[in-house]
Amino acid sequence: MNGGRPSRPPVARCFQSVGLTPAEHRDDFVRAARKTGRESVANEPGSYRFEVIADETDPDLFYLNEVYADLDAFNTHADGPYFSAFFAEASAYAEGPKWLMRGTLVGDGVA
């Protein structure tokens, strides 16, 4: 319990970078990544967030910020049709993903 509220379930998070080569596929990448995010969050139980973030200084570098209910939800996403379709398209012009962070939210009960 957390202040009278039930404690939250584990939350799996990952943060990745993806670079584009050649750069003319920027719009293609953004479209495909945002579509993957929308479809994943709408249709995959436990998919909470999928954000596409453009780097502040490099127009060909993007970050994917993903949040899942737990590791099982992430694995369901990684084995699912939206993930596969995204990489089938983006692998022609995207380098990555490079894992920058992968972990689970630490709850209040941990010292």
Side-chain angles (χ1 to χ4, degrees):
M1 299 276 292
N2 178 7
R5 296 174 297 188
S7 56
R8 291 173 24 170
V11 176
R13 296 177 180 259
C14 59
F15 195 63
Q16 311 154 47
S17 65
V18 179
L20 302 183
T21 307
E24 70 250 16
H25 289 286
R26 185 180 200 280
D27 291 343
D28 298 328
F29 175 81
V30 170
R31 179 192 45 75
R34 292 190 66 202
K35 179 178 186 237
T36 298
R38 280 192 309 275
E39 291 176 344
S40 297
V41 170
N43 299 309
E44 294 174 346
S47 288
Y48 292 160
R49 178 180 298 154
F50 189 110
E51 297 170 326
V52 181
I53 303 165
D55 187 79
E56 192 173 79
T57 58
D58 183 346
D60 300 326
L61 180 61
F62 292 87
Y63 304 98
L64 304 178
N65 180 32
E66 303 177 39
V67 180
Y68 301 91
D70 52 31
L71 189 55
D72 288 338
F74 170 78
N75 289 333
T76 296
H77 167 72
D79 293 336
Y82 310 113
F83 185 91
S84 297
F86 171 71
F87 280 102
E89 177 179 343
S91 64
Y93 50 79
E95 296 176 356
K98 176 182 176 185
W99 293 96
L100 302 176
M101 186 278 296
R102 189 170 173 181
T104 303
L105 183 66
V106 176
D108 291 339
V110 178

